Amino acid sequence: MTSAAEPAQPRPAATPPAPAPTASYRLQLQPGFTLRDATAAVPYLAALGVSHLHLSPLLEAAPGSTHGYDTVDHTRISEQLGGEHALRALAAEARRHGLRLIADVVPNHMAVPVPERLNEPLRQVLRDGPDSPYARWFDIDWTAQPGPADAPGRGRVLLPLLGDRLGAVLDQLVVDGEVLRYHRHELPLRPGTSRLPLTELLARQWYRLAWWRLARTELNYRRFFTVNELIAVRVEDPEVFAATHAVLLRLHAEGILDGFRIDHPDGLADPRGYLRRLADATGGAYTVVEKILTGEERLPEDWPVAGTTGYDGLRRIDGVLMDHAGAGRLAGAYESFLRGGPAHAPGPDPHPAVAAARRGRAEMTGPGGELTAEVDRLVRIALRIGAAEPAHADHAPWQLRAALRRLLTDYPVYRPYARPGEPADDPHLRTDGSADPTERLVAALALGGLGRSEDKDEFCVRFAQTAAAVAAKGVEDTAFYRWNALPGLNEVGGEPARPGLPPADFHDWCRYLERAWPHSMTVLSTHDTKRSADARARLAVLAEQPEAWAAEAAAWSTAAGPAAPGLDRDADWLLWHTLVAAWPITPDRLVAALLKAVREAKLHTSWTAPDAGYEQALEQRARAVLGNAGLLRRVEGLVRALAPYARANTLAAALLHLTVPGVPDLYQGSEEPLYTLVDPDNRGVVDLGALAVRLTDAAAPRPGDLAREKLHLTATALHLRRAAPLGAYRPLAAPEHLLAFARGADVVTAVTRLPYGLAKAGGWRDAALELPAGGRWTDQLSLREFPAGAVPVADLLATYPVALLTRRGR
């Protein structure tokens, strides 16, 4: 399964050999925005002030892909995006403007495309089975399915792509030469079988066609989470790594690409080994990983990377701008809204969000759950271990399943990082006090603590990969769509049970990041955020007025009229939050976001078992609300009332993002207010040409023009970062409702926090901020000057709710 374990090594020096980015700008490449379009945008992006363009996946993806994570061909840059020639032209134009390129890399999986011939390695495996030279590429358990009729012990691949049971669709299967066709599917036939009768032909293939519903219990290839159309790649194999990375590594060696973002490292068999191999191949290129850190979890120090892609930064920046006490009251108001009764305080632990997360994990691995096949694969491995070693025998399959479900349900982070040959001491898998010997066995195998064999090594690896899938699907893609008290908290890596972050804790995290991972990315909006930063900035204001908002939400439900039978009040609560977050919004955008949310929640409907009646009722209510003129006036009125406080949150988050330690990664279009929802809403084409025009007159934004204010702030801070490195992070003593820190001796950031509470308290009054002694300070946003020493905050923030100060004449 894996090679001999490498000895643990200290992490290489934090500073990469090539210049680290000062800031990056994420571009979502797709047929509607190609590499040629990116090239045309380079002058604007250079003028904005970033140092690197952060490109979505570049290799050939499935036709029409709007994200690029469904790779079909590792040997070429996507022709849909313009091909390698267009990429080289982009790199050349970027270099002329002083910019470099970072590429998103997808090492974990490839597409199972339609038609299947588009993925040539997979096509050959389907045709030739385990004898194919590409069989080692894919993470297939050949032991899980009986082989072809003439080779029953060799195994075959389950392909769950039929719309019904096989017997019901036999007349839809057509043999066409050496291809078996089923609607748009084109499956290769095993050599010498094309003239056989259909049923005999099917029995002789290296794949078994099956009804799509069998995937969750019988699938025998690892996939990306629960997506059957994305088959896992065994990139831990050196030959597979070399073949799948050859183009990207060549382009790096030629100076076309300068750095890499690694997608989903938690899916890999050996994340550290993969990252070391990549670092060796690139000479230590700037690399960040999409590692989701939960709670106080830290990035492994022996990973040779610059840091994460920044969701840990999102949680801290959002957190310090969130009213902790108000969020707690809003959670209680939400529970009361669901019951239709008076507001109440949140109940005792477990917090409802924690309970929802635990239920989500449990459902993934329970009987018939979406990850049942993955659990059963672990059971088969454990049984083989018991058969080979009597000391670990006599654990029944049902006992192993139960133990695995308990441990995976209770595991609080994404995955353990035990490696074969390197037993780990993971506090989350300690079972010393367990009376269940099967649970103790499973935990010991997961941590690599029972010695080594091929099966023991595989169990250790598979448990970690399965734990990551359980966490992602059970929490992010289930629980975070079920507990909607504060939807803005339900982001990747979020902790809705712990809303808000005290300024002291925020400062501690900033100093940690500066010390441990100074070049780690930070983000506020991405292609995966459920709500963009500015949408969350609006929702954060609601946590400062929980009782008033709960009463308004109840009034909106009344004004909307009785809901259709079957629609619960949670649907209304989510509807009202979505309207506020994304206002103004079209009916189609609203309906799409709501339907995705309820399908992911899997309570009333789901992707695999849709309830057409429920979905139709929800859509009709959403469209009726947008046709209710009286109700819309209330919605517009509330959004206007929130606007001054949402403005403060938007500008505060933006300035924090651009001046805390780390490398700010801006999402396309987010230099102006962006009120997008979950994908695909957040992956649309952005008119960068129009932004370029607006940048020319953003230096002096008109009062109340938030778009130009944010663009002005972004460009100003980016140019400051690019002119010279920001200095050491130092918190500054600040009055309530103000967060301030210095970067080195000559830069100070000050932002308003909890602006509604500030207004309710009567404003800044006589509060002051002590600017470091020496020289005079200039707010680079308003261009107003201030003396060193105590400056009244009301004067400092008279123009903007934030200030970016630089010193001269010290």
Side-chain angles (χ1 to χ4, degrees):
M1 177 66 193
T2 57
S3 58
E6 308 164 54
Q9 299 176 13
R11 179 164 59 91
T15 303
T22 61
S24 54
Y25 191 98
R26 170 75 176 204
L27 292 171
Q28 286 299 116
L29 301 170
Q30 52 188 292
F33 186 88
T34 68
L35 291 162
R36 296 184 182 90
D37 298 308
T39 302
V42 164
Y44 161 66
L45 296 171
L48 185 64
V50 300
S51 66
H52 286 63
L53 306 185
H54 174 189
L55 307 176
S56 59
L58 292 167
L59 298 176
E60 193 67 71
S65 176
T66 59
H67 49 77
Y69 290 100
D70 44 359
T71 306
V72 297
D73 188 350
H74 290 95
T75 68
R76 57 181 176 153
I77 299 300
S78 172
E79 296 298 336
Q80 301 174 78
L81 303 180
E84 186 170 325
H85 176 76
L87 176 61
R88 289 179 177 276
L90 170 60
E93 180 72 355
R95 290 296 177 108
R96 279 194 288 273
H97 287 80
L99 306 183
R100 295 170 180 265
L101 306 184
I102 297 170
D104 199 340
V105 183
V106 189
N108 180 70
H109 53 264
M110 292 182 74
V112 181
V114 181
E116 289 73 8
R117 60 178 164 76
L118 296 174
N119 184 335
E120 177 59 19
L122 180 60
R123 188 192 72 84
Q124 291 197 32
V125 172
L126 295 178
R127 184 190 65 193
D128 300 328
D131 294 327
S132 167
Y134 288 104
R136 65 191 303 167
W137 275 46
F138 299 104
D139 202 342
I140 298 168
D141 182 2
W142 293 97
T143 70
Q145 292 285 333
D150 58 335
R154 302 293 307 282
R156 54 181 177 169
V157 184
L158 184 82
L159 291 183
L161 52 82
L162 301 179
D164 203 340
R165 292 178 174 85
L166 177 60
V169 299
L170 278 174
D171 60 346
Q172 300 171 34
L173 301 176
V174 177
V175 176
D176 181 6
E178 298 300 316
V179 172
L180 178 65
R181 299 186 183 277
Y182 174 70
H183 298 290
R184 292 178 53 239
H185 295 275
E186 297 178 11
L187 300 162
L189 292 174
R190 188 178 171 194
T193 63
S194 61
R195 296 182 180 277
L196 295 174
L198 182 60
T199 54
E200 187 177 348
L201 176 148
L202 293 175
R204 292 290 188 95
Q205 302 310 313
W206 290 112
Y207 50 84
R208 174 192 160 201
L209 296 183
W211 187 27
W212 65 269
R213 289 189 179 276
L214 297 184
R216 61 175 55 192
T217 55
E218 296 191 37
L219 197 69
N220 65 326
Y221 60 82
R222 188 170 63 84
R223 46 196 168 152
F224 174 68
F225 298 149
T226 59
V227 183
N228 301 336
E229 295 78 17
L230 296 174
I231 185 170
V233 174
R234 296 185 61 252
V235 75
E236 66 271 19
D237 184 310
E239 291 186 20
V240 177
F241 175 91
T244 56
H245 288 65
V247 168
L248 297 177
L249 293 177
R250 172 174 57 80
L251 291 169
H252 174 264
E254 295 174 6
I256 304 301
L257 301 176
D258 292 276
F260 301 102
R261 172 206 189 262
I262 306 304
D263 180 65
H264 188 43
D266 280 340
L268 304 181
D270 179 10
R272 188 187 75 187
Y274 167 81
L275 293 168
R276 285 184 177 175
R277 185 169 285 127
L278 182 66
D280 289 344
T282 62
Y286 178 81
T287 301
V288 290
V289 288
E290 190 201 24
K291 168 60 191 163
I292 311 305
L293 300 170
T294 303
E296 300 308 312
E297 183 186 12
R298 300 250 171 118
L299 188 65
E301 292 188 356
D302 58 357
W303 287 13
V305 297
T308 73
T309 55
Y311 288 109
D312 44 324
L314 182 157
R315 177 157 59 92
R316 268 69 177 208
I317 292 171
D318 275 13
V320 79
L321 301 177
M322 171 66 65
D323 183 343
H324 171 74
R329 300 202 309 276
L330 185 54
Y334 165 69
E335 298 291 339
S336 299
F337 179 91
L338 298 186
R339 298 193 316 270
H344 72 294
D349 288 337
H351 189 282
V354 174
R358 193 177 190 284
R359 285 194 301 271
R361 289 175 185 263
E363 289 173 16
M364 289 298 113
T365 58
E370 293 185 39
L371 291 166
T372 299
E374 284 74 7
V375 172
D376 284 349
R377 187 169 185 175
L378 285 165
V379 170
R380 290 194 297 273
I381 301 169
L383 290 172
R384 292 202 301 266
I385 293 170
E389 300 186 29
H392 308 313
D394 292 341
H395 295 273
W398 69 266
Q399 293 173 310
L400 290 164
R401 287 190 190 92
L404 282 162
R405 287 168 184 155
R406 284 195 299 272
L407 291 172
L408 290 168
T409 295
D410 292 339
Y411 198 72
V413 296
Y414 262 61
R415 63 171 276 173
Y417 287 102
R419 300 176 75 250
E422 294 180 23
D425 181 18
D426 188 328
H428 306 306
L429 284 173
R430 286 181 185 151
T431 56
D432 298 343
S434 174
D436 182 355
T438 305
E439 188 172 283
R440 294 198 301 271
L441 170 68
V442 168
L445 290 171
L447 294 176
L450 295 178
R452 299 196 66 184
S453 70
E454 183 176 354
D455 283 328
K456 288 177 181 177
D457 290 357
E458 182 173 4
F459 190 98
C460 178
V461 167
R462 299 287 174 211
F463 183 92
Q465 292 172 316
T466 303
V470 170
K473 295 304 298 180
V475 180
E476 284 176 34
D477 291 347
T478 299
F480 281 6
Y481 286 100
R482 289 182 178 180
W483 196 76
N484 291 308
L486 298 91
L489 297 176
N490 296 352
E491 292 298 340
V492 175
E495 285 191 290
R498 296 172 58 192
L501 186 71
D505 292 353
F506 177 81
H507 290 313
D508 286 345
W509 176 78
C510 288
R511 286 181 291 202
Y512 161 74
L513 193 69
E514 178 180 58
R515 180 177 68 254
W517 305 98
H519 302 298
S520 184
M521 276 186 177
T522 58
V523 296
L524 289 179
S525 298
T526 76
H527 61 287
D528 278 335
T529 44
K530 295 178 176 65
R531 294 161 188 87
S532 60
D534 302 312
R536 301 194 308 272
R538 278 184 184 164
L539 297 181
V541 183
L542 302 180
E544 292 195 71
Q545 40 186 280
E547 291 80 16
W549 165 237
E552 185 70 9
W556 291 3
S557 288
T558 300
L567 281 186
D568 57 9
R569 289 176 64 83
D570 193 47
D572 265 10
W573 186 268
L574 180 62
L575 169 58
W576 308 140
H577 276 84
T578 305
L579 285 175
V580 172
W583 189 261
I585 187 171
T586 64
D588 288 348
R589 287 182 63 212
L590 177 62
V591 168
L594 292 174
L595 289 179
K596 179 163 184 174
V598 296
R599 288 169 181 166
E600 295 286 4
K602 296 176 272 290
L603 292 174
H604 305 287
T605 186
S606 70
W607 297 106
T608 57
D611 183 325
Y614 180 88
E615 293 187 3
Q616 183 179 22
L618 180 61
E619 177 173 353
Q620 288 174 345
R621 186 159 181 81
R623 293 185 183 277
V625 162
L626 291 181
N628 185 326
L631 180 51
L632 293 191
R633 282 193 292 272
R634 293 193 71 152
V635 175
E636 290 171 344
L638 179 72
V639 172
R640 280 197 303 270
L642 296 177
Y645 315 113
R647 167 182 177 256
N649 284 342
T650 279
L651 297 179
L655 188 55
L656 291 177
H657 182 214
L658 293 167
T659 56
V660 297
V663 175
D665 182 44
L666 280 75
Y667 190 59
Q668 58 179 26
S670 66
E671 60 268 47
E672 287 190 340
L674 191 66
Y675 301 101
T676 56
L677 302 169
V678 70
D679 68 275
D681 190 62
N682 57 10
R683 298 180 182 179
V685 174
V686 174
D687 188 348
L688 297 181
L691 280 167
V693 172
R694 291 196 288 274
L695 181 63
T696 61
D697 66 348
R702 296 182 296 275
D705 188 345
L706 180 58
R708 282 173 171 74
E709 286 180 337
K710 189 180 183 189
L711 184 58
H712 169 54
L713 180 156
T714 301
T716 300
L718 287 173
H719 281 276
L720 181 66
R721 291 184 66 96
R722 197 164 185 189
L726 298 182
Y729 184 92
R730 178 165 57 91
L732 297 179
E736 189 177 6
H737 295 288
L738 189 72
L739 180 73
F741 53 84
R743 295 301 310 270
D746 299 323
V747 176
V748 165
T749 288
V751 305
T752 302
R753 61 184 297 269
L754 312 187
Y756 180 79
L758 171 66
K760 197 173 179 181
W764 292 113
R765 299 188 180 182
D766 58 355
L769 175 66
E770 188 79 21
L771 293 177
R776 292 184 64 80
W777 292 85
T778 301
D779 176 15
Q780 294 297 322
L781 303 179
S782 66
L783 299 182
R784 297 173 64 225
E785 290 197 356
F786 302 91
V791 175
V793 179
D795 187 24
L796 178 68
L797 303 185
T799 306
Y800 297 102
V802 301
L804 175 59
L805 299 137
T806 59
R807 175 158 54 183
R808 63 178 178 81
R810 179 159 58 99

